[in-house]
Amino acid sequence: MAKAKEKPITRAGITRRRNAAKRRRLRLRTPLGRLDADGASSAQNNNRRLLWLAIEWGLERAPKVGPAPSAELCDYCRKHGINVDWILDGDLRGLKRMIDERRGHQRAERALSRGMPSSRLSTS
């Protein structure tokens, strides 16, 4: 079998490749760029995070995450107060916000179960 002739790269093609490489290098300097390069937004890692959270919080099993978030996943996250930034990107600030929110709700529930009036609860 004869090999097909390869087209020579044009000056415009070289410039496009060079500019794409520059953009990639600049993106790798950002936190989200590093997370993306490490594979934090892969479907496998998203499913791993959801499985860990379901076990840790005692939730029912989450729906599988594909290449794009599904309506079932969005409903599951909304229902259980799960931060979507953390699930899809591995954003640790999102995890911290989610954990802090959950702790606040648990404190309020404990206080209400003890009979503490709601006016004495802090808003933070």
Side-chain angles (χ1 to χ4, degrees), residues 24-117:
R24 190 171 41 251
R25 276 193 308 273
L26 288 175
R27 179 157 167 74
L28 286 176
R29 292 183 188 154
T30 67
L32 284 177
R34 287 190 299 273
L35 282 170
D36 189 40
D38 290 340
S41 21
S42 69
Q44 181 182 6
N45 283 328
N46 295 342
N47 285 316
R48 183 181 49 81
R49 279 191 285 276
L50 275 172
L51 179 62
W52 170 80
L53 194 64
I55 291 169
E56 185 74 22
W57 287 3
L59 306 174
E60 72 268 8
R61 192 169 180 99
K64 289 285 184 191
V65 179
S70 63
E72 293 115 17
L73 176 66
C74 293
D75 292 340
Y76 182 82
C77 290
R78 196 173 299 120
K79 176 182 174 184
H80 296 293
I82 298 172
N83 188 290
V84 179
D85 290 337
W86 174 67
I87 293 295
L88 298 180
D89 292 331
D91 182 24
L92 294 179
R93 285 187 216 140
L95 175 63
K96 183 175 178 350
R97 278 193 302 270
M98 181 177 65
I99 297 294
D100 290 344
E101 248 179 52
R102 186 169 174 90
R103 286 181 184 152
H105 288 300
Q106 287 175 343
R107 268 191 225 116
E109 288 172 4
R110 278 195 305 255
L112 289 175
S113 68
R114 290 184 201 146
M116 184 184 286

Side-chain angles (χ1 to χ4, degrees), residues 1-6:
M1 253 189 184
K3 271 189 164 180
K5 277 188 171 180
E6 291 185 27

